[in-house]
């Protein structure tokens, strides 16, 4: 039951993020202006305690993680499985062996140098991620991978997962497991205690630690995102800025007046709704 709750929570968070930030469309025209999506969050609900994907639990921690990190597959707006890092996957007749082929133009984006492409995403990153999740007690994804016995690299961009028995869990694992950069995480002795203050991932956005404060959370469009070319996905805003308000009433007032140029508001107190 706990596993089901975790899976549903993750799916809801991912759906929230993808609905807000990513659409499937034809190639977009070149942008001429900087686009900022400004989201007001009322009642001090903009809470981020950790950005370590092994132990995140809060809503906005999910929002950061699933924008910054990619997964092997993801969901479209109809909640159907579609490619993410893996553009193709096959299941063998015994239902215990799954093979995923990765795109070859995905890169990890380090916020300190966002344009750098010196760290491509490869099968080694997927294998490293699996081994960390499999061998780190108490991590968020421990139950996700308990039925997977091995995940070796077939080649530089192919990974094969073996399950202990035929179970329909592989897509849940593939859509929920954030792929970590091996060049960072393989050298961490205790991954679940790693602070991960500035996460490095291959997702559509990267975390702006410089402009993020206790009251503002900023994500920026990754210049390296493979999804635009491979899947015709386009992240429309150049940044997504979450702004925290202690008072829902002030947030609503500012939204209606345009004072803070808010595009969306969230966590509105019931008293602010009008009949």
């Amino acid at each position: 039951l706990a596993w089901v709750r975790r899976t549903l929570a993750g799916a809801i968070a991912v759906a929230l993020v993808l609905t807000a930030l990513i659409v499937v469309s034809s190639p977009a025209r070149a942008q001429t202006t900087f686009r900022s999506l400004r989201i007001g969050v009322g009642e001090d609900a903009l809470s981020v305690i950790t950005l370590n994907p092994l132990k995140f639990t809060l809503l906005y921690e999910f929002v950061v993680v699933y924008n910054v990190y990619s997964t092997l597959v993801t969901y479209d707006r109809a909640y159907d499985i579609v490619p993410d890092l893996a553009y193709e996957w096959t299941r063998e007749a015994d239902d215990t062996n799954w093979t995923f082929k990765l795109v070859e133009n995905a890169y990890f984006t380090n916020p300190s140098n966002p344009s750098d492409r010196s760290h491509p995403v490869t099968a080694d990153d997927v294998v490293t991620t699996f081994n960390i999740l499999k061998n780190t007690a108490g991590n968020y994804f421990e139950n996700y991978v308990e039925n997977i016995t091995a995940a070796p690299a077939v080649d530089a961009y192919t990974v094969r997962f073996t399950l202990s028995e035929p179970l329909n869990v592989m897509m849940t694992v593939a859509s929920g497991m954030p792929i970590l950069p091996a060049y960072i995480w393989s050298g961490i002795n205790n991954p679940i205690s790693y602070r991960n203050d500035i996460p490095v991932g291959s997702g559509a956005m990267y975390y702006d630690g410089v402009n993020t404060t206790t009251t503002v959370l900023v994500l920026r469009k990754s210049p390296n995102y493979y999804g635009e070319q491979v899947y015709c996905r386009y992240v429309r805003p150049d940044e997504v800025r979450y702004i925290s308000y202690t008072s829902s009433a002030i947030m609503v007032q500012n939204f209606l007046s345009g004072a803070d140029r808010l595009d969306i508001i969230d966590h509105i107190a019931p008293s602010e709704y009008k009949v």
Side-chain angles (χ1 to χ4, degrees), residues 64-120:
V64 173
V65 166
Y66 282 112
N67 271 292
V68 169
Y69 292 98
S70 301
T71 53
L72 292 175
V73 299
T74 189
Y75 294 90
D76 63 14
R77 290 185 173 186
Y79 295 100
D80 294 323
I81 291 288
V82 294
D84 199 343
L85 277 174
Y87 68 89
E88 177 182 302
W89 53 92
T90 56
R91 179 179 59 182
E92 295 182 15
D94 63 3
D95 287 335
T96 62
N97 289 288
W98 296 69
T99 301
F100 291 81
K101 293 183 177 295
L102 309 180
V103 298
E104 297 187 19
N105 63 334
Y107 299 87
F108 289 106
T109 299
N110 190 323
S112 65
N113 186 10
S115 62
D116 176 53
R117 290 193 169 191
S118 60
H119 294 287

Side-chain angles (χ1 to χ4, degrees), residues 42-267:
E43 304 300 300
D44 275 336
L46 184 60
S47 181
V48 174
I49 296 174
T50 180
L51 293 177
N52 185 333
L54 275 62
K55 60 179 182 180
F56 65 147
T57 58
L58 301 177
L59 173 61
Y60 289 99
E61 294 170 354
F62 274 84
V63 168
V64 173
V65 166
Y66 282 112
N67 271 292
V68 169
Y69 292 98
S70 301
T71 53
L72 292 175
V73 299
T74 189
Y75 294 90
D76 63 14
R77 290 185 173 186
Y79 295 100
D80 294 323
I81 291 288
V82 294
D84 199 343
L85 277 174
Y87 68 89
E88 177 182 302
W89 53 92
T90 56
R91 179 179 59 182
E92 295 182 15
D94 63 3
D95 287 335
T96 62
N97 289 288
W98 296 69
T99 301
F100 291 81
K101 293 183 177 295
L102 309 180
V103 298
E104 297 187 19
N105 63 334
Y107 299 87
F108 289 106
T109 299
N110 190 323
S112 65
N113 186 10
S115 62
D116 176 53
R117 290 193 169 191
S118 60
H119 294 287
V121 181
T122 67
D124 181 52
D125 300 297
V126 179
V127 172
T128 297
T129 300
F130 167 76
N131 288 333
I132 289 173
L133 301 184
K134 186 71 173 179
N135 300 318
T136 304
N139 80 84
Y140 180 89
F141 297 96
E142 188 174 14
N143 290 338
Y144 279 57
V145 299
E146 64 180 351
N147 298 112
I148 302 176
T149 59
V154 177
D155 59 40
Y157 290 96
T158 308
V159 180
R160 185 184 189 193
F161 291 86
T162 300
L163 279 66
S164 58
E165 58 182 316
L167 291 169
N168 191 24
V169 299
M170 197 59 235
M171 286 296 100
T172 299
V173 175
S175 64
M177 181 174 67
I179 304 305
L180 309 173
Y183 80 97
I184 293 176
W185 287 80
S186 61
I188 298 171
N189 293 326
N190 188 5
I192 202 166
S193 297
Y194 181 50
R195 288 182 57 86
N196 202 36
D197 291 332
I198 306 297
V200 175
S202 58
M205 309 291 284
Y206 69 88
Y207 177 78
D208 182 350
V210 174
N211 290 288
T212 293
T213 66
T214 56
T215 58
V216 177
L217 169 63
V218 181
L219 298 173
R220 295 194 183 278
K221 177 181 175 181
S222 172
N224 306 317
Y225 185 52
Y226 55 94
E228 295 179 22
Q229 293 78 25
V230 178
Y231 309 125
C232 297
R233 292 181 189 151
Y234 191 79
V235 184
R236 296 188 179 278
D238 294 286
E239 73 165 21
V240 181
R241 185 174 293 260
Y242 295 88
I243 304 169
S244 178
Y245 292 83
T246 57
S247 165
S248 179
I250 293 175
M251 178 181 70
V252 171
Q253 179 181 350
N254 287 0
F255 175 69
L256 295 175
S257 68
D260 290 336
R261 297 183 290 115
L262 297 175
D263 301 294
I264 303 170
I265 53 177
D266 189 21
H267 283 84

